[in-house]
Amino acid sequence: MFEHILSAFLALKANKIRAALTMLGVVIGVLAVTLLVGVGDGARIYLDEQISGLGTNLMTIVPGRRETRGFGPPAGNVARPLVLDDIRALERQASLLRGISPMVMGGGAVRFKGRTRDTMILGVGPAFSDLRNMPVDRGSFVRDEDVESRRRVCVLGRTIVKELFGDENPLGQTVRLADGRFRVVGLMEERGTSLGFDLNDLVFIPVTAAMDLFNQDHLTQIITAARSKEDAPAAAEEVEQILARRRNGERTFTIQSQDDLLKTFGALTAAMTLMLLAIASISLVVGGIGIMNIMLVSVRERTREIGVRRAVGATKSDILWQFLLESVVISSLGGAIGLGMGASIVLALKRFAPSVPVALSPWIAAVAFGSSFVVGVLSGVVPARRAAELDPVDALRYE
Amino acid sequence: MSASTDALALGEPLMVLDGIHRRFMMGDEEVRALRGVSFTITKGEHLCIIGPSGSGKSTMMYLLGCLDTPSEGSYQLAGYEVSELSDEELAALRNRYIGFVFQAFNLIPRTTTVDNVALPLRYAGVGMGERRRRAAEALERVGLGHRLDHTPDRLSGGERQRVAIARAIVTKPELLLCDEPTGNLDSKVGAEITGLFEELNHDMGVTLVIVTHDPSMAKRARRNVKLVDGEVVYDGPPIEGR
Ligand SMILES: Nc1ncnc2c1ncn2[C@@H]1O[C@H](COP(=O)(O)OP(=O)(O)O)[C@@H](O)[C@H]1O
Ligand SMILES: [Mg+2]
């Protein structure tokens, strides 16, 4: 076997330009596989990180019944809104939750000394900061007594601070939020963007103050979390029962767990990666056809050589292996080169353009190289068989 | 395979042909290239096959070389009935007993002379270092010890044929089968090659079967077999003016 591989290399060396051209198709194919799958995989890892970054074992309760998990639009209208009493019931009765925060979401302008910024205003409870992994940098977050007394205080995200205050210290200052005046009691820590959303461009106020400000008595959603990963299913069950009991057994709300979200996005990105892989495979198939064609030409051109080899003692299977291995060596070499190029590009992107989500996982490398090997075998079989089946005399008489 | 020529002494029969026919189909037409050929070649013989073009000489060579099998009749090489052997056995038989020299040299292009010459040893399962050593030795024997790493395109016609002869003798075969070996060479170089064959026959005791058009080459053999239209019309010592 070693002999055959060696002579395959010698044959390639004897015709370098042709070998290079033959390889090109596979190089491009494997390069495409590495890059496209790298993009798909990068997207998966990015979404995973983003969703995991939201918090741990999170659950979001939204009003209305959704038939499917994940992102379907609400089926039917919102029957019963979520209210603060739901929060109190959960706080009293649930035992598997780590914290519960109501949330009222609204948009509005925030103004300070003639500077204005349109932003998102979130009415929340004290638990929000922990649940969503968004700590305060200076001052304090929304506190229980703020919520109880419907106090007009606010905690500002980094972007707001930068835009409105510049170098001034915002703590203790008063800003206008929509039509209300709010005292700044805290500043959030710097956070990145999540799924394209700037987490620094937010203003937090007590949920009660938000209800006053937006003149509404229902919640946009409830955010909570299971105590541990193991408790998550039971916790969801518990929440469901407590809320349903308050609605005469009707489930007019939907619980979305972080896990559901991960699964949904996971399925989505897996589908995308597969699709990209399928597209890339086409170029690999084209590369394989290229190899087969050139191998067929090569068999024809080397007919005399095949005759001579048979004359000096080569068996049919010697000839078969010779051409098969030549094809495999060409293809694998092309695969290795394509993989090397793809990996370099991915690593360069990671290094010089870290915001582009690409990844290079070992399985891509294995798939890319493995498929080039398989392509080599598949495209070598027909030419190799043709070479092996040549009649030695015909081969020697061939002009 | 059970028989062996290791015990064969000079003068014992190496090849025995009995009523050999070889027919080809050309479309619907049957071509009868050999029509009942019978003769015996003994070990160490120096024999030339002559005859007009199309008389079946090359067909004969391929049969003798176990590259082809007869349509009818019996051919025994070193005791083996050739038509009973499998593809692998035939390959092994060729490798062990036969060296071929062709009119067109048939060296493998872009491959050094030493690798060309070593080729049969590879199929004999000889290790790489030993292969090179023995190939160099064979090249030395044909007077090309200084051309080991040349590729065929840098050699003259005579040199190429010497490389081909080195390849044919590298396995120390019983039999050299040469199909018009000087056909592509001018007469001076042709005479040198003829001399080389005679030396090999004399020194190594190798059996020489040479197809030739060249009367001077045929004259120097001890025996001539003349084919016409696939039949043996003369079998005996060379005759002047033939
Ligand atoms: N594979 C083949 N198919 C059909 N006819 C063939 C084949 N090989 C040889 N022949 C025919 O057999 C005859 C003898 O050919 P060949 O042995 O090459 O003659 P020579 O070598 O004496 O010139 C010729 O008529 C040739 O056309
Ligand atoms: Mg001929």
Side-chain angles (χ1 to χ4, degrees), chain A residues 26 63 133 189 222 243 252 265 326 345:
Chain A
V26 180
N133 232 349
E189 247 182 33
I222 296 171
L243 293 181
T252 56
F265 272 116
E326 228 174 278
I345 292 175

Side-chain angles (χ1 to χ4, degrees), chain A residues 347-371:
Chain A
L347 294 179
L349 273 178
K350 276 179 106 80
R351 171 140 190 200
F352 300 110
S355 59
V356 183
V358 287
L360 183 73
S361 46
W363 77 268
I364 301 180
V367 164
F369 189 74
S371 54

Side-chain angles (χ1 to χ4, degrees), chain B residues 38-89:
Chain B
S38 303
F39 59 86
T40 297
I41 300 173
T42 56
K43 188 174 157 65
E45 231 182 311
H46 177 183
L47 176 150
C48 279
I49 298 178
I50 53 177
S53 178
S55 57
K57 303 183 299 295
S58 293
T59 303
M60 185 78 187
M61 292 302 271
Y62 294 128
L63 281 171
L64 292 176
C66 303
L67 283 163
D68 196 11
T69 46
S71 311
E72 197 183 307
S74 150
Y75 168 41
Q76 291 187 352
L77 171 65
Y80 302 109
E81 180 60 51
V82 168
S83 51
E84 289 170 2
L85 301 179
S86 69
D87 181 71
E88 258 138 67
E89 288 168 328

Side-chain angles (χ1 to χ4, degrees), chain B:
Chain B
M1 292 194 282
S2 54
S4 158
T5 55
D6 293 345
L8 277 186
L10 284 179
E12 283 188 56
L14 176 66
M15 305 141 97
V16 181
L17 291 82
D18 188 11
I20 297 282
H21 289 259
R22 184 66 174 101
R23 295 181 280 266
F24 299 102
M25 289 309 293
M26 283 269 278
D28 293 339
E29 213 179 321
E30 192 183 61
V31 181
R32 301 177 62 195
L34 294 176
R35 320 179 183 205
V37 174
S38 303
F39 59 86
T40 297
I41 300 173
T42 56
K43 188 174 157 65
E45 231 182 311
H46 177 183
L47 176 150
C48 279
I49 298 178
I50 53 177
S53 178
S55 57
K57 303 183 299 295
S58 293
T59 303
M60 185 78 187
M61 292 302 271
Y62 294 128
L63 281 171
L64 292 176
C66 303
L67 283 163
D68 196 11
T69 46
S71 311
E72 197 183 307
S74 150
Y75 168 41
Q76 291 187 352
L77 171 65
Y80 302 109
E81 180 60 51
V82 168
S83 51
E84 289 170 2
L85 301 179
S86 69
D87 181 71
E88 258 138 67
E89 288 168 328
L90 288 175
L93 202 64
R94 289 194 292 271
N95 184 256
R96 179 162 168 202
Y97 290 108
I98 302 167
F100 287 93
V101 179
F102 304 96
Q103 178 175 2
F105 321 132
N106 284 345
L107 300 177
I108 298 178
R110 290 179 289 263
T111 303
T112 60
T113 55
V114 70
D115 284 337
N116 260 294
V117 172
L119 192 65
L121 295 174
R122 185 189 146 188
Y123 296 112
V126 176
M128 223 166 332
E130 175 69 3
R131 238 151 57 195
R132 199 184 153 84
R133 195 185 63 72
R134 275 157 70 173
E137 201 177 274
L139 280 164
E140 194 74 47
R141 179 69 194 77
V142 299
L144 282 179
H146 56 300
R147 290 272 191 272
L148 299 190
D149 292 312
H150 282 233
T151 46
D153 56 330
R154 310 221 344 248
L155 300 175
S156 71
E159 285 173 325
R160 289 183 206 188
Q161 196 60 302
R162 283 171 190 270
V163 174
I165 293 168
R167 179 177 66 193
I169 62 172
V170 75
T171 53
K172 303 207 162 36
E174 291 289 337
L175 171 65
L176 280 189
L177 288 175
C178 316
D179 195 350
E180 305 195 32
T182 58
N184 282 8
L185 304 173
D186 62 45
S187 54
K188 180 171 161 288
V189 177
E192 284 167 25
I193 295 290
T194 307
L196 178 59
F197 280 129
E198 281 168 3
E199 273 174 49
L200 294 172
N201 175 250
H202 185 263
D203 301 349
M204 295 170 59
V206 66
T207 309
L208 267 185
V209 178
I210 302 174
V211 168
T212 186
H213 274 309
D214 177 1
S216 65
M217 191 168 197
K219 208 168 60 193
R220 289 164 68 164
R222 264 160 287 171
R223 176 180 170 194
N224 284 358
V225 171
K226 183 169 184 178
L227 285 179
V228 174
D229 288 338
E231 284 177 290
V232 177
V233 297
Y234 176 83
D235 184 353
I239 296 170
E240 205 62 49
R242 179 169 300 280

